[in-house]
Amino acid sequence: MRRLFLYLFAARVFADPGSAACGPCHADIVKRYALTGMARASTADSLGSGSIGKSYIAFIDNFLVQTPRSFFAKTNSFALSPGFPSAQTYRPVEEPCLQCHATGVRLVKGTQNQYPNPPFAEPGIGCERCHGPAEAHAVNPAKLRAERRDNVCEQCHLTGAAKVTRAGKNPYDYRPGDRLSDFVSIFVESSKNNATDHVEQLSESACKQAAGDKLWCVTCHDPHGGLKPNACQTCHTPDKCGRGPQCATCHMPKAESADAHVAFTNHRIGAKPQPKPFRLYWPGPAPARELALARPTIAGLEKIEPKDAAVLTQLGQLYDRVKRGPEAAALYRRALKLNPSEPTAAANLAIYEFQNGQVAAALARWQGVFARYPGLSGPGLNLALAQSQRGDPSAARATLLRLLRFHPGNAQARELLSRLPP
Ligand code: HEC
Ligand code: HEC
Ligand code: HEC
Ligand code: HEC
Ligand code: HEC
Ligand code: HEC
Ligand code: HEC
């Protein structure tokens, strides 16, 4: 039964455009790789190969959502999806989710979770995610200089404490061989017990620090499947500490993860625990704009020449929080000039406009945001409230019914709906 299951997945990999291009000449690798968790990291209806668990995805209209129930391999049962407040809601499947679990992601530009069906060209991590596009000369990561080599795995295995897209860049334009730090600034502090912290954990390892660039993920992992045998012994003598040959069982113990993902292996080999400051993951100074956005404060952001929507919106939100409404509104307006689809700026500006009597303008903005971002319940509720206050209960009802399709348990929406005149 299991064999048949795996065969079907292998057939799926062969049938897909990107990786299929490699099949005729690299049949052995294609076959072996098809059995890995990475090759099976997504299907049309789930994220995760199932070795740890699966989260189910579904379309509501053309919005892709994560459902409240996930499968957990450890208990072989279904339970509330990690991080979900209740079983009465769906979460937007935003681009990062799919970019780490699939290949050729097709997000509709300027939206949060609108995709065609299927939402990606190829399920799972295709060959090209590590070797570059099929039509170009294949990059061999092992032959790149250390930083660019490590970047190939860091695309997905380095979450960090904060991740900020560089000005004017799209992080998913990164291709193997590029420098990841040209696209995104990733900040780290003391590594957590998260299942996507392997890179951070290894960087704290005394073994890694001593071994330097000679030690990387692929020293121990065969990227096409399985662990390399006796990887520790390529540098340490087999009797290094005299406690037996299964080095990893003692030096890389297993534990529960603290985040959404479940079991993980401690990669901080031989590290002495000590707190680490918040810093850019890569050596060298952090770019000022990205640093200011990573830990946003008014003083920090006011020092940045606000030329982009991200900075303007972030500063606007901080002004809002300290009741500097008019200044915040001015920043949101500038942000929207630069990026008309910026949802936070539009939704917050609408609140300001509504409070200052510009009801029609506010309604139009909320309508625009709610049409494209039904996963954000705030703008939907505000829109419905404004519609009912303006004496248009049927519009308010339509708004609330749509909101409830995405958040069936939303108490405020239910309450408001029950108070609408029939
Ligand atoms: C027409 C046959 C053919 C196809 C199709 C093909 N390759 Fe290759 N590839 C080869 C041959 C032959 C070599 C060995 C050349 C060598 O040893 O340098 C090679 C070498 C490689 C290398 C090692 C390169 C290096 O510099 O070390 C990688 C990585 C690679 N291929 C990846 C891919 C990927 C990924 C695909 C699909 C997108 C692919 N290849 C499609 C024939 C092919
Ligand atoms: C495009 C994203 C992506 C890239 C690039 C990537 N990984 Fe993964 N990796 C994943 C995801 C997602 C999983 C979880 C797969 C699952 O089980 O659903 C995973 C799982 C793994 C596993 C667990 C075992 C397995 O076979 O799935 C290992 C080991 C691993 N990756 C190593 C690496 C190494 C080494 C590199 C770099 C050479 C790398 N990964 C690059 C996303 C990625
Ligand atoms: C930065 C990249 C990244 C992002 C973003 C990400 N994941 Fe993952 N995910 C991983 C990696 C890497 C693993 C494998 C972890 C391991 O094996 O320890 C994983 C594992 C999983 C698994 C368990 C797979 C298994 O092996 O059974 C599920 C389910 C999952 N992710 C769902 C999600 C969902 C849902 C989202 C979006 C909310 C998401 N992931 C976002 C990288 C990512
Ligand atoms: C998770 C990243 C990753 C994925 C996905 C991946 N590779 Fe590789 N591949 C590597 C790395 C890293 C090396 C260098 C391995 C080494 O030197 O030990 C490599 C080496 C190769 C080589 C040349 C050396 C060898 O091992 O024979 C070929 C050919 C190759 N890969 C083909 C493929 C094909 C075909 C696919 C898709 C079925 C694929 N790879 C998927 C990371 C990946
Ligand atoms: C690429 C080479 C390399 C590989 C592979 C490697 N190590 Fe190391 N490791 C070193 C070097 C160099 C040192 C520092 C000198 C020493 O202690 O031998 C070190 C140090 C250590 C230390 C001591 C840290 C301290 O100072 O307290 C431990 C424990 C360790 N390694 C365990 C492992 C284990 C377990 C593996 C396999 C899972 C492994 N190493 C694989 C190179 C390597
Ligand atoms: C049964 C558990 C166990 C096994 C198996 C084991 N170690 Fe150790 N190792 C320890 C303990 C405990 C220490 C001492 C405390 C420490 O430094 O973590 C130690 C210390 C070390 C050190 C640092 C001290 C020194 O002697 O330089 C290195 C390096 C090391 N081990 C490497 C290895 C390697 C390589 C293997 C596999 C060939 C291995 N260990 C297998 C438990 C184990
Ligand atoms: C010194 C050896 C070594 C290095 C280097 C190493 N790993 Fe691992 N890794 C392991 C071992 C051992 C396991 C446990 C495998 C098992 O139990 O099947 C593991 C497991 C994993 C898993 C499966 C989930 C888990 O945590 O158990 C992922 C994902 C992973 N490693 C990613 C990486 C990435 C990414 C890198 C590079 C940043 C890396 N590893 C570097 C030895 C290593």
Side-chain angles (χ1 to χ4, degrees), residues 169-190:
K169 294 293 173 77
N170 175 347
Y172 306 117
D173 286 341
Y174 164 87
R175 297 288 173 270
D178 291 342
R179 250 171 45 166
L180 191 56
S181 60
D182 289 339
F183 296 84
V184 60
S185 291
I186 303 181
F187 297 87
V188 297
E189 51 195 349
S190 303

Side-chain angles (χ1 to χ4, degrees), residues 36-38 41 48-49 100-101 125 129 152-153 155-157 217 221:
T36 63
M38 276 194 282
S49 64
C100 283
H101 281 269
I125 317 299
R129 296 304 301 273
V152 173
C153 312
Q155 285 178 78
C156 307
H157 286 276
C217 314
H221 292 284

Side-chain angles (χ1 to χ4, degrees), residues 35 79 85 104 159 164 167 176 182 189 279 287 301 305 317 329 375 377 400:
L35 307 183
T159 309
V164 182
D182 289 339
E189 51 195 349
R279 66 203 185 278
L301 283 166
E305 182 64 39
Q317 284 176 275
S377 51
L400 291 168

Side-chain angles (χ1 to χ4, degrees), residues 47-53 55 66 96-97 100-101 156-157 195-196 198 261:
L47 299 184
S49 64
S51 68
I52 298 170
S55 285
Q66 186 186 351
C97 240
C100 283
H101 281 269
C156 307
H157 286 276
T196 49
H198 293 93
H261 308 93

Side-chain angles (χ1 to χ4, degrees), residues 19-43:
S19 300
C22 326
C25 307
H26 299 296
D28 281 0
I29 291 181
V30 172
K31 225 161 101 188
R32 199 151 49 86
Y33 179 67
L35 307 183
T36 63
M38 276 194 282
R40 298 180 293 117
S42 53
T43 62

Side-chain angles (χ1 to χ4, degrees), residues 18 21-22 25-26 127 131 134 138-140 143:
C22 326
C25 307
H26 299 296
C127 318
H131 291 298
V139 170
N140 184 343
K143 292 186 179 167

Side-chain angles (χ1 to χ4, degrees), residues 401-413:
L401 289 175
R402 180 163 189 256
L403 196 162
L404 285 166
R405 288 180 67 209
F406 290 87
H407 301 287
N410 191 300
Q412 283 160 292

